[in-house]
Amino acid sequence: MLQSSLKTIFVCSLFLNSPAFGQEQSKEHPLAPALKMANESLAVLNRVQDYECQFTRREFVNNKLVTQQTVFRLRHQPFSVYLKFIDPAPGREVLYVAGQNQGKLLAHEASGLSSLVGTVSLAVNSPKVMAETRHPITQAGMKNLIQLVIAQWELESKYGEVDVKFYPNAKIGGADCEVVEVSHPRPRKQFPYHLTRVFFEKTTRLPVRVENYGFPAAPGQKAPLLEEYTYTSIKVNNGFKDIDFDRNNPKYSF
């Protein structure tokens, strides 16, 4: 019995120390390098106090693709957002500051009958607001966006059926970018999207575009775009003050 036990221990030792077993144990999940890039980008954003940019949003909402372009200003502390629409509804302004206005956003139209109403106060998740977007304004900005991507990829890194591709020579406008593309071959409850692409600007490492696609309705069909967020002409650390997110700012029309 002793000899048999020694033989068993010897065989197990050979197996545990075999190259194949070591490779299997140390094999990195395909999402590990993508998560590393995303966390490095988040670290950059943690050093950004505020920024201004042009923000282009495309989202599939209520069975239609909504496209909006805005001038976008954001301050991280306290979390503050100012939007001025370029297209559609040019001149529309939206303002949100965490801890103010009972947690609601302020908005007004620049033309049409709605402009006669003046500034209105709306809950961030009210049906009127969510009729044009998939996410409330409290989730706006690059930092919130990359945090959502990180949380998604951390969950997905617990599973298989994940294909990750890297494209080192992409562009957004005139900005050189690296792209991470994560896809899944078939729908699973743990995969909210069929495909996600994240564009990291090479110099700043900022996440300047995120694309999310749904699963095709049938094999061979095109994956539908669910949401796409693009940040261009970014200027960081402008030293924005409270007045830059104040409805009484004389440059605004609230």
Side-chain angles (χ1 to χ4, degrees), residues 205-220:
R205 308 312 298 168
L206 293 173
V208 294
R209 174 181 282 179
V210 173
E211 304 171 4
N212 285 315
Y213 294 82
F215 286 87

Side-chain angles (χ1 to χ4, degrees), residues 31-76:
L31 272 169
L35 274 166
K36 183 175 183 292
M37 291 175 66
N39 278 295
E40 288 172 349
S41 185
L42 178 59
V44 170
L45 282 163
N46 284 335
R47 297 191 294 270
V48 171
Q49 297 177 352
D50 62 61
Y51 57 90
E52 181 178 81
C53 65
Q54 181 168 309
F55 177 51
T56 303
R57 178 171 66 86
R58 295 202 298 157
E59 293 180 318
F60 193 71
V61 185
N62 294 327
N63 297 315
K64 64 179 181 179
L65 192 64
V66 175
T67 301
Q68 294 178 344
Q69 287 186 320
T70 62
V71 173
F72 181 90
R73 289 178 183 166
L74 183 143
R75 178 177 60 174
H76 285 129

Side-chain angles (χ1 to χ4, degrees), residues 69-97:
Q69 287 186 320
T70 62
V71 173
F72 181 90
R73 289 178 183 166
L74 183 143
R75 178 177 60 174
H76 285 129
Q77 293 295 333
F79 184 74
S80 311
V81 178
Y82 168 78
L83 298 169
K84 185 169 185 179
F85 281 60
I86 300 170
D87 184 62
R92 175 194 291 174
E93 291 179 298
V94 176
L95 185 65
Y96 172 80
V97 180

Side-chain angles (χ1 to χ4, degrees), residues 138-201:
T138 51
Q139 294 181 3
M142 290 183 283
K143 185 174 180 178
N144 280 319
L145 190 57
I146 200 63
Q147 286 176 325
L148 288 173
V149 170
I150 289 170
Q152 174 190 328
W153 286 351
E154 285 179 341
L155 174 63
E156 294 176 358
S157 67
K158 299 176 182 178
Y159 303 93
E161 297 187 327
V162 180
D163 182 45
V164 183
K165 296 178 180 176
F166 297 88
Y167 301 93
N169 297 307
K171 280 186 177 292
I172 291 292
D176 294 324
C177 300
E178 294 181 66
V179 178
V180 179
E181 180 182 282
V182 177
S183 62
H184 311 285
R186 56 187 61 83
R188 303 288 190 195
K189 63 181 180 180
Q190 64 266 25
F191 301 143
Y193 308 110
H194 165 58
L195 184 146
T196 295
R197 288 195 194 102
V198 183
F199 292 67
F200 297 98
E201 204 274 324

